[in-house]
Amino acid sequence: MNQKVLMLFIAMWLTWSCQSTATNGNPHVVADETPIDTPQKVTLLFAGDLMQHQGQINAARLADGTYDYTDCFALVKEEVSRYDIAIANLEVTLPGPPYTGYPQFRCPDAFLTAAWQAGFDVMLTANNHCCDSRQKGLERTIHVLDSLGIPHLGTYCNAAEREKNYPFIIERNGIRIALLNYTYDTNGIPVNKPNIVNLIDKKQMATDIARAKEMNADVIIANMHWGIEYVLTPNQQMRALADWLLEQGVDHIIGGHPHVVQPAEVRTDKQGNKHLIVWSLGNYISNMTKDNTEVGLMVRMELSKDSLTSLTDCGYTITFCSRPAVSGRRVHTVLPSSYPQEKMKPAERERFNRNIATARRLFQQHNIGISEYTF
């Protein structure tokens, strides 16, 4: 039986709690089950926003009233699953029914389950929609993630939970990776005490970065929910904050929120260390149709550890979220840029080619040190 399917059945027996179940031994660390003699290399994959608009909810609903999102990720599952760690931004809440789309995302649990079964290992939850269903939704989202054994970071039921589980460290192949996650805002919705949402605050972030170093992280990756929606290039505030994060000791920065892709670059510092900055991954799956919102990125990284841990490879592939209205498929489906043209209907093919061509022109003009790959 597929391991993730087996874990799903096991999760049904778990008691609901507001504590992370994704730890082992050291409460901050997701345990490394890799044999000690495995070469010290690790591969990571980052995908953009997992969103759930009303059109997606309607499309996934079955005749018996349940929801099935399995096919949403069928064409990318093999690629996602081949990485040691695959990370995505969960930009919905899971408060239970009733379910609604924009502007306040209340999503069926089946959406998370489908993403998890597609190979995503870690979920980011600090984003501007994390408080859409207030305290109940924030806490139940954490409960559902914990019940499935899905590591997550960014939002917490209380200060004790954050203290126990953040900075989030995951070990693979002998490499300790610290993941950080922050958002610019919660759409003006107050964070109800004792809940905590990681906000972009330099004082707190400096403390978290220092603590990650104290925990002997080999590499620190900041996942930032920032920027201006629908703008294709980073603004000065984003650039200044990225510079500050690197100065504090962050090694790589992966951004999201604008709902469109933005360029990526590899910077080499005076010591010869390489730092990957992805300004925006865009949407991975959504029902958005505004210009440039139908494409996203999957960004891969390879880290290697000798005396130091370094970035030894990186690349990106472009994805397209196809809606049932243009594809004829039952649900919204993530297509890789290599998806065969002959399998698309004319309307789907036109949107696919136009959006991907725009993204490629943007990257050809602005990317530095990172290239596209296809699968």
Side-chain angles (χ1 to χ4, degrees), residues 312-334:
T312 49
D313 188 32
C314 63
Y316 64 90
T317 193
I318 304 171
T319 59
F320 176 82
C321 181
S322 191
R323 296 170 292 114
V326 297
S327 70
R329 299 182 186 87
R330 184 181 66 85
V331 292
H332 297 65
T333 307
V334 181

Side-chain angles (χ1 to χ4, degrees), residues 339-351:
Y339 190 73
Q341 298 275 311
E342 63 271 15
K343 292 187 177 182
M344 299 183 207
K345 292 188 174 183
E348 180 183 29
R349 186 183 307 118
E350 187 278 329
R351 298 191 75 91

Side-chain angles (χ1 to χ4, degrees), residues 49 92 141 178 186 202 267 326 346:
D49 299 338
V92 296
T141 300
T186 56
K202 285 186 175 180
R267 294 186 188 178
V326 297

